[in-house]
Amino acid sequence: MDPLVILFGFGVGILVGLTGVGGGSLMTPILILIFGFKPVTAVGTDIAYGAVTKTVGGWRHFRQNTVNRSLSTWMAFGSVPAAVAGVYGLHALEKSTGKSFDSTVLTVVAAALMFTGVAMLARALFLPSVVAREREGLVLERRHKVAAVVLGVCVGFVLGVTSAGSGSLIAVGLIMLFRLAPRQVVGTDIFHAAILLWAAAIAHVVAGNVDFGLAGTILVGSIPGVWLGSHWSLRTPVPTLRTGLGVILIGASLGLFSKAGVEVPVAILAAVPMLLLLIVGGPPLRRWLRPVQPQPAPEP
């Protein structure tokens, strides 16, 4: 077992439990960029370990009453068959071309991450009015059910091809389409992703895209991570985490674009961690530097 893989699994597991986002969006780039796995193997293995990880997190959020079960069910009606179709499409394209499909998969994964990261940052930074309209509960009408199925189809297909989207794209959809509050977004996102990932994982196992030893190593770290993150989700301010994660997703997408042959300036790649540091560390630093007001002397 590689301790570094376990450590990354633990960190990603915490992010998944806290925000519902980060499983496929972060682990796939990590497996490709840092550990050098083939993109198709990274995608399949990521989905396989993610199915177990999000099942644990989904159960935890279900017990905390932060899951909209009706919405999760309607999304699954669209996402499960679409995910299987995405896996089949990826396998068929690679087989028909008779050559490595790695660069194309890298480009698709990078595009999915870039879209998700930009959408998350746009909401956090430029759409504050959306937060004011968030709601804890939602009674589904016909239009909500149709929107849920359509969202599931779109995200399921992207997941089957890239492994990204089970958390990140669904979270954006739950916020923009249904205006759910952060805790409901996280819980519903993880619970639905657990259903979706099992369907995609079985398809990837059949296609031979899963490294079981690698998946088991990641799970050693990700299972305690997602359990801990789910527990912290009730106490941690999600907006800051979501903003920081948006920056991480954009940085990962730039790295994958670079690996796929797209020229990305080094200055842009270097700016991503600095921006993340400012977003996440800025508010605590400002509070620490703020001068302490002297307490008035007690009256005699």
Side-chain angles (χ1 to χ4, degrees), residues 110-162:
L113 298 188
M114 179 63 75
F115 171 80
T116 305
V118 170
M120 292 180 69
L121 281 181
R123 176 195 172 270
L125 301 177
F126 304 113
L127 297 174
S129 60
V130 175
V131 178
R133 301 197 305 269
E134 289 176 342
R135 48 195 175 190
E136 293 287 343
L138 174 65
V139 178
L140 295 186
E141 301 175 2
R142 180 178 298 177
R143 59 189 177 89
H144 294 137
K145 296 175 182 178
V146 172
V149 173
V150 172
L151 176 63
V153 169
C154 296
V155 172
F157 188 80
V158 172
L159 171 81
V161 175
T162 70

Side-chain angles (χ1 to χ4, degrees), residues 33-267:
L33 296 174
I34 298 179
F35 297 101
F37 286 94
K38 290 187 58 172
V40 173
T41 302
V43 168
T45 304
D46 190 354
I47 289 177
Y49 104 85
V52 180
T53 300
K54 292 206 172 183
T55 298
V56 174
W59 170 249
R60 178 74 172 176
H61 278 280
F62 182 82
R63 294 290 301 273
Q64 294 173 176
N65 295 319
T66 54
V67 176
N68 188 313
R69 286 171 287 181
S70 298
L71 188 54
S72 297
T73 302
W74 281 101
M75 286 192 296
F77 285 149
S79 64
V80 170
V84 175
V87 175
Y88 176 78
L90 175 64
H91 183 67
L93 283 173
E94 187 173 21
K95 186 176 180 180
S96 63
T97 57
K99 60 182 180 180
S100 175
F101 202 55
D102 291 357
S103 61
T104 304
V105 175
L106 283 171
T107 303
V108 174
V109 173
L113 298 188
M114 179 63 75
F115 171 80
T116 305
V118 170
M120 292 180 69
L121 281 181
R123 176 195 172 270
L125 301 177
F126 304 113
L127 297 174
S129 60
V130 175
V131 178
R133 301 197 305 269
E134 289 176 342
R135 48 195 175 190
E136 293 287 343
L138 174 65
V139 178
L140 295 186
E141 301 175 2
R142 180 178 298 177
R143 59 189 177 89
H144 294 137
K145 296 175 182 178
V146 172
V149 173
V150 172
L151 176 63
V153 169
C154 296
V155 172
F157 188 80
V158 172
L159 171 81
V161 175
T162 70
S163 86
S166 65
S168 50
L169 298 180
I170 283 290
V172 174
L174 291 175
I175 293 166
M176 296 298 185
L177 296 177
F178 303 104
R179 306 199 313 272
L180 290 183
R183 290 190 181 90
Q184 295 294 320
V185 169
V186 174
T188 303
D189 186 354
I190 295 178
F191 188 82
H192 165 262
I195 302 172
L196 170 58
L197 284 171
W198 276 112
I202 293 171
H204 274 289
V205 169
V206 173
N209 298 334
V210 178
D211 184 326
F212 291 100
L214 175 61
T217 303
I218 299 173
L219 284 171
V220 172
S222 68
I223 289 179
V226 74
W227 188 266
L228 186 61
S230 300
H231 178 71
W232 285 348
S233 67
L234 295 177
R235 299 168 174 81
T236 305
V238 177
T240 299
L241 288 170
R242 188 181 290 123
T243 303
L245 190 55
V247 177
I248 293 175
L249 296 182
I250 292 174
S253 72
L254 293 174
L256 287 182
F257 274 128
S258 178
K259 194 172 182 66
V262 179
E263 292 188 6
V264 179
V266 177

